[in-house]
Amino acid sequence: EYTPSIFGFDKAKNKVVGQKAYENYYKDASEDEVKNYKPEVKRLMGTSEKFHFERADVEMNPEEISAEILKSLKEDILRKYPDFNTVAAVITVPAAFSVLQSEATKRAGNLAGFKHVVLLQEPIAAAIAYGFTNMKNENWLIYDFGGGTFDVALIASKERALSVLGHNGDNFLGGKNFDLEIVDKVILPKIMEKFSIKNFNRSNEKYRSAFSQLKFFAETAKIELSEYDKTSIVVENIGKDDDDKEIFVTINFTRKEFEELIKPMIDRTIELSKQTLKEAGIKSSSVAKVVLVGGPTQIPYIRERIENDLKITADASVDPLTVVAKGACVFGIGQKIPKELMQDDGKKLKEGTLSINLNYESLTSDTEETVSGVIDDLKDSEEEFYIQIQSDSGFYNGSKIKLKGGKFFDTIAVEPNKQNVYWLYLFDKQGNSAPIDPDSFTITHGLSVSGAPLPHSVNIIVAQKDYTRNVAMNVCERVFDKGSMLPIKKVLTEYKTSRKLKRGEENELDIIVVEGESDVPDRNGFLCKVGINGKDLPHDLPEGTPVELTLVVNESREVFITAYIPLIDLTVNARSTSHDETIELKNIEEDLETQKERAKVASENMSPDERKALDTGISSAQTSVRNASVDEDEKMKASKQIKDLKIVLDKIEKEKEMPQLVKEFKDGIQDTQSIINDYADEKDKAINNDQLNKLKSEGEKAIADSDISLLIRINEQIKELSSKAVYSNPSTWVHQFNKLIAGNPTFINDNDA
């Protein structure tokens, strides 16, 4: 039922997937084994990271490793069912996955040999599995805590149709994080207490195999504490310390200690769950159940927290470990494989058998379904032919329908809550039957899904002038909103090339597409660059050439960008990248230091709870940055945590901005009044006082309306008035002149002098 998603090579250089690979990497965990297996590649999908497997001397990226795991699953099926058609597959992905991660997953499916791959968001899959046997009209919260990711989705089930009302998630929060917390905060301190080992930490490449084993001990303890109140973690066979002493330690670990350890992470999931309800405008009392998905939801503490904090009953009536797979199976029933792929299977019809092309919904929530079809060989036939449809159970017995141009159309009855098999019969005018292929089809009565929502907003980065501060800055221009139903399309027309487009060269358009909810570009996730391949151009095009961009996101969340160039009436592919940007460790280290400085300033005006939450975020990011040198996953996590930290600090600074501006306004009024009284030229005093009173009145109104932009402009005008008042006095100019000549200035040109 379960295949651990870990891949590698054994000593004979054979590819190994699943349980055996898991044991080699974690349980045995010699230095040799650790270098030849790769676990937990899911969170690295969409990146250009490469992994070197020493035994086979090959480098593979996350897509290629995922493809090997998918191939293994396919082989398991074909071993048991050799004739099973594996042309297509439904692959589930976390709802919080980025576009790049989703696209990489689809490519992995194609690499594994599936010609047609459909992606399905995991919370929707879980809802389909849960709702398939649940007829009630009600709302459910899908709480999906997996090994590496967390998703929460609010689903409405109405008249056997599912729709997503809201969703949130975290791609770097999963059962893996519990294991690492046990390693870092329980096992490691006990080892260091008893033994002398220099630089014994996860960031040290030397101890990679030891920490792989420690994670295995931690995971075993986590699973045991789901059943028992206490357990013993026995650390052995991981090597010797610096004094040549064998490392051996037994740690008593209780469920209560474990719960305290994972509390901050569960707090985060509860916060995201509450946020989802709030964004959808749904109260907890209107949600019938929390459907539990993923292995970690078997931890009793998680169930307790859900029921206590969300005040909603937790339901695990469907196995949390297989509910997503079951939902994907049901969803698969309703998916059509493209006709051209089905005809590729090499199947030859018997002589005299006619081929029929059918159109119908194979999964429906209706009790009637329209079926149409065409027999191409009978399109021009002058003979009369009739088609008849009957259900295998006898529930529906259709009348004979005359074919017109080889085509027919019928409305059939569907028996509720079951899989309906229908037989097709073709007759000539005399009532003789003629063989057709296919001669049957199946319609399952169950759920319909109203469409998958877009998990993150899609934005284009553009340069815009901020008139309140009089600077040009990059901002995000929204193209698609989070929650938009897929597929979606938008045409953007107001673009001109910033440089000459050269034939035969790669031409970047200085346009970057990102996904996320922030208006500030670097708080969001990179999606792609936009560019035009010069090979597509008939000749060079001048700077300022108008370009019309069309963005499309399909049901599997693949993004397609085309550019139409009216000048030459040409449409070309304009997406120039397909992987995430390369993250440099040095850059994220510097970025973290910058955010720590921001936090130091911001913390002066914070409540103790705000300060504690911020400190936790910084501490977590520091841990990830420290381990990023040996763990690619930690590097991606660190990058995401720093982005989140920036968003939190933006919010805090924005909230504190108004009080700061009000103080600046009051001080400015007071100081300017003193300057007018003491320095302004007598003939200008009345005008200056009038202007100051007017600014005071406008500023007080801006404060009452909480209008930050207006107050910024008024504060700038107060400064200008203060400066004007000072310089209206001739003695100010004398003072400035004396200051200049005393300072022995070195002028650059005659005009300045």
Side-chain angles (χ1 to χ4, degrees):
E1 279 199 311
Y2 321 110
T3 301
S5 48
I6 175 166
F7 163 80
F9 292 87
D10 65 15
K11 286 173 183 170
K13 299 183 186 177
N14 297 313
K15 291 175 181 178
V16 184
V17 170
Q19 191 59 36
K20 183 67 184 160
Y22 173 88
E23 285 172 8
N24 288 350
Y25 184 85
Y26 287 115
K27 206 172 175 183
D28 304 337
S30 66
E31 201 171 319
D32 188 36
E33 297 293 357
V34 166
K35 285 178 182 173
N36 285 286
Y37 290 93
K38 180 61 193 165
E40 297 163 348
V41 79
K42 185 174 180 174
R43 302 204 299 205
L44 294 168
M45 295 299 280
T47 69
S48 301
E49 296 288 347
K50 295 268 189 182
F51 307 97
H52 183 253
F53 297 93
E54 283 192 357
R55 284 171 182 157
D57 193 25
V58 293
E59 260 196 349
M60 296 172 76
N61 65 28
E63 287 164 42
E64 291 166 329
I65 293 167
S66 292
E68 292 299 332
I69 295 164
L70 293 168
K71 275 183 202 171
S72 168
L73 295 173
K74 188 169 76 167
E75 284 158 12
D76 288 345
I77 292 162
L78 293 174
R79 217 171 283 124
K80 197 169 182 181
Y81 307 104
D83 297 328
F84 199 88
N85 191 333
T86 57
V87 72
V90 174
I91 304 178
T92 64
V93 292
F97 248 21
S98 69
V99 164
L100 293 176
Q101 288 171 309
S102 300
E103 289 176 334
T105 304
K106 189 164 184 178
R107 288 196 295 268
N110 296 142
L111 275 174
F114 297 110
K115 291 180 183 175
H116 183 59
V117 174
V118 177
L119 299 188
L120 175 64
Q121 292 177 21
E122 282 161 8
I124 298 175
I128 291 170
Y130 182 77
F132 201 63
T133 53
N134 189 324
M135 314 290 179
K136 295 174 185 171
N137 290 345
E138 54 191 21
N139 298 324
W140 311 317
L141 193 72
I142 311 294
Y143 181 98
D144 182 354
F145 205 124
T149 57
F150 173 74
D151 279 323
V152 58
L154 182 63
I155 308 275
S157 170
K158 196 171 183 185
E159 308 302 333
R160 297 193 64 75
L162 294 180
S163 56
V164 183
L165 304 181
H167 51 90
N168 275 296
D170 188 333
N171 283 342
F172 292 95
L173 180 59
K176 172 186 178 177
N177 301 92
F178 293 173
D179 305 336
L180 296 178
E181 282 291 285
I182 296 170
V183 170
D184 291 345
K185 293 179 181 172
V186 177
I187 300 175
L188 196 54
K190 290 286 183 189
I191 292 173
M192 299 310 290
E193 207 177 276
K194 279 185 73 176
F195 298 92
S196 171
I197 322 169
K198 194 179 177 187
N199 294 329
F200 187 62
N201 54 58
R202 278 199 287 136
S203 62
N204 191 336
E205 184 79 38
K206 183 181 173 184
Y207 298 114
R208 244 179 106 177
S209 60
F211 275 88
S212 184
Q213 274 180 290
L214 294 183
K215 186 179 178 298
F216 174 74
F217 298 147
E219 189 178 359
T220 306
K222 173 184 74 178
I223 293 165
E224 284 177 0
L225 289 175
S226 292
E227 278 191 66
Y228 308 108
D229 288 334
K230 56 185 177 181
T231 186
S232 290
I233 303 171
V234 180
V235 177
E236 57 185 345
N237 301 324
I238 67 162
K240 295 179 179 181
D241 73 354
D242 295 343
D243 299 328
D244 210 33
K245 278 167 61 183
E246 190 73 38
I247 298 168
F248 178 86
V249 64
T250 302
I251 304 159
N252 293 320
F253 190 38
T254 67
R255 182 185 282 187
K256 194 171 187 318
E257 289 170 324
F258 175 58
E259 289 171 359
E260 283 170 13
L261 193 68
I262 65 171
K263 183 183 179 294
M265 288 176 276
I266 304 307
D267 289 347
R268 168 95 173 121
T269 70
I270 298 294
E271 180 192 313
L272 287 168
S273 302
K274 286 180 176 176
Q275 192 180 322
T276 304
L277 293 170
K278 188 180 175 184
E279 286 170 0
I282 300 286
K283 291 179 180 173
S284 292
S285 55
S286 301
V287 181
K289 294 272 191 320
V290 174
V291 178
L292 299 174
V293 182
T297 62
Q298 294 176 107
I299 295 168
Y301 176 64
I302 290 182
R303 299 186 185 195
E304 284 166 28
R305 286 292 306 276
I306 287 168
E307 297 196 334
N308 292 339
D309 291 41
L310 300 178
K311 304 287 187 283
I312 310 169
T313 307
D315 188 328
S317 56
V318 184
D319 176 14
L321 287 160
T322 57
V323 61
V324 167
K326 286 173 182 168
C329 293
V330 176
F331 183 76
I333 293 169
Q335 296 302 300
K336 292 278 198 308
I337 298 170
K339 186 178 159 187
E340 62 273 16
L341 296 180
M342 288 304 287
Q343 289 172 344
D344 255 4
D345 59 9
K347 179 179 163 188
K348 287 188 178 175
L349 298 178
K350 285 182 185 174
E351 200 175 327
T353 301
L354 297 167
S355 174
I356 182 167
N357 291 320
L358 295 171
N359 288 302
Y360 60 92
E361 289 296 332
S362 50
L363 179 67
T364 181
S365 55
D366 297 326
T367 51
E368 283 191 339
E369 186 57 47
T370 300
V371 178
S372 64
V374 60
I375 301 172
D376 287 334
D377 289 341
L378 299 181
K379 271 185 178 177
D380 303 319
S381 174
E382 290 180 9
E383 284 185 63
E384 288 182 11
F385 281 90
Y386 299 83
I387 201 105
Q388 187 177 24
I389 302 174
Q390 293 178 359
S391 69
D392 191 57
S393 66
F395 181 76
Y396 174 76
N397 193 0
S399 55
K400 288 183 181 178
I401 299 166
K402 186 178 177 182
L403 266 62
K404 293 178 182 176
K407 298 174 184 175
F408 77 91
F409 176 93
D410 194 7
T411 302
I412 63 174
V414 181
E415 197 171 350
N417 308 320
K418 66 173 287 187
Q419 198 173 57
N420 294 261
V421 177
Y422 297 90
W423 293 96
L424 289 159
Y425 302 97
L426 180 67
F427 303 99
D428 61 17
K429 193 176 180 180
Q430 287 74 40
N432 301 314
S433 66
I436 53 172
D437 186 88
D439 59 3
S440 67
F441 62 94
T442 304
I443 294 179
T444 302
H445 184 265
L447 292 162
S448 63
V449 181
S450 66
L454 188 68
H456 312 287
S457 298
V458 174
N459 312 274
I460 275 182
I461 299 175
V462 293
Q464 199 176 80
K465 189 165 184 182
D466 181 350
Y467 290 100
T468 59
R469 292 171 174 82
N470 200 31
V471 289
M473 56 197 290
N474 284 339
V475 295
C476 289
E477 199 173 85
R478 191 65 46 93
V479 181
F480 301 122
D481 286 315
K482 173 183 173 177
S484 302
M485 283 299 160
L486 300 173
I488 39 179
K489 176 181 178 179
K490 193 166 187 178
V491 180
L492 308 166
T493 55
E494 297 171 13
Y495 293 102
K496 288 184 178 180
T497 59
S498 58
R499 61 175 75 90
K500 185 179 181 180
L501 297 183
K502 295 182 179 178
R503 186 176 182 273
E505 292 183 14
E506 283 291 342
N507 299 285
E508 283 194 10
L509 291 184
D510 294 332
I511 295 171
I512 292 175
V513 185
V514 295
E515 55 178 337
E517 311 316 311
S518 179
D519 293 333
V520 186
D522 74 347
R523 275 63 167 160
N524 297 311
F526 174 81
L527 200 162
C528 67
K529 288 183 178 178
V530 178
I532 290 174
N533 191 330
K535 290 175 186 172
D536 298 326
L537 299 176
H539 51 75
D540 290 357
L541 294 172
E543 178 187 327
T545 300
V547 175
E548 191 177 276
L549 295 177
T550 300
L551 273 76
V552 176
V553 187
N554 68 10
E555 291 93 333
S556 288
R557 286 188 58 218
E558 292 172 288
V559 170
F560 301 92
I561 304 174
T562 55
Y564 172 64
I565 307 167
L567 189 68
I568 52 172
D569 190 26
L570 180 70
T571 300
V572 294
N573 171 45
R575 184 166 169 187
S576 61
T577 60
S578 59
H579 286 86
D580 205 343
E581 290 181 307
T582 304
I583 295 169
E584 298 293 341
L585 186 55
K586 183 172 171 286
N587 293 345
I588 58 174
E589 285 170 342
E590 287 171 1
D591 214 351
L592 180 59
E593 289 308 310
T594 304
Q595 302 320 309
K596 280 162 71 177
E597 286 303 314
R598 278 180 75 195
K600 204 183 287 180
V601 174
S603 66
E604 291 170 13
N605 299 313
M606 273 186 213
S607 70
D609 284 349
E610 283 177 326
R611 197 175 290 118
K612 187 182 174 187
L614 193 60
D615 289 345
T616 303
I618 290 169
S619 172
S620 183
Q622 280 177 312
T623 302
S624 297
V625 168
R626 191 169 58 245
N627 296 319
S629 57
V630 293
D631 188 339
E632 305 83 359
D633 183 72
E634 290 283 351
K635 187 165 75 174
M636 299 301 296
K637 185 182 172 187
S639 175
K640 171 74 169 60
Q641 286 171 321
I642 292 167
K643 281 185 169 77
D644 290 344
L645 200 53
K646 288 178 181 177
I647 292 168
V648 169
L649 286 166
D650 290 346
K651 186 169 178 279
I652 290 167
E653 286 170 355
K654 195 165 183 64
E655 284 170 357
K656 308 300 177 195
E657 189 175 15
M658 195 63 179
Q660 187 59 41
L661 288 171
V662 171
K663 184 179 183 299
E664 196 181 307
F665 167 74
K666 288 177 178 175
D667 291 348
I669 292 287
Q670 198 174 335
D671 293 346
T672 305
Q673 187 66 69
S674 300
I675 286 165
I676 291 169
N677 293 341
D678 299 343
Y679 296 102
D681 195 84
E682 283 299 325
K683 68 177 190 311
D684 295 331
K685 273 189 181 177
I687 296 167
N688 290 338
N689 279 322
D690 281 348
Q691 282 183 310
L692 186 62
N693 288 332
K694 194 179 174 189
L695 289 170
K696 186 181 177 186
S697 173
E698 286 176 2
E700 284 167 351
K701 187 178 184 307
I703 292 165
D705 295 343
S706 298
D707 191 333
I708 288 176
S709 298
L710 180 59
L711 195 56
I712 288 169
R713 284 203 297 275
I714 288 164
N715 284 348
E716 285 172 354
Q717 287 170 332
I718 290 168
K719 282 178 194 165
E720 284 169 16
L721 179 59
S722 173
S723 181
K724 185 180 160 190
V726 169
Y727 283 100
S728 68
N729 190 320
S731 64
T732 305
W733 295 97
V734 174
H735 170 73
Q736 288 290 335
F737 176 72
N738 287 330
K739 196 174 161 189
L740 269 173
I741 57 172
N744 191 24
T746 51
F747 291 104
I748 293 168
N749 59 55
D750 289 344
N751 286 339
D752 277 358

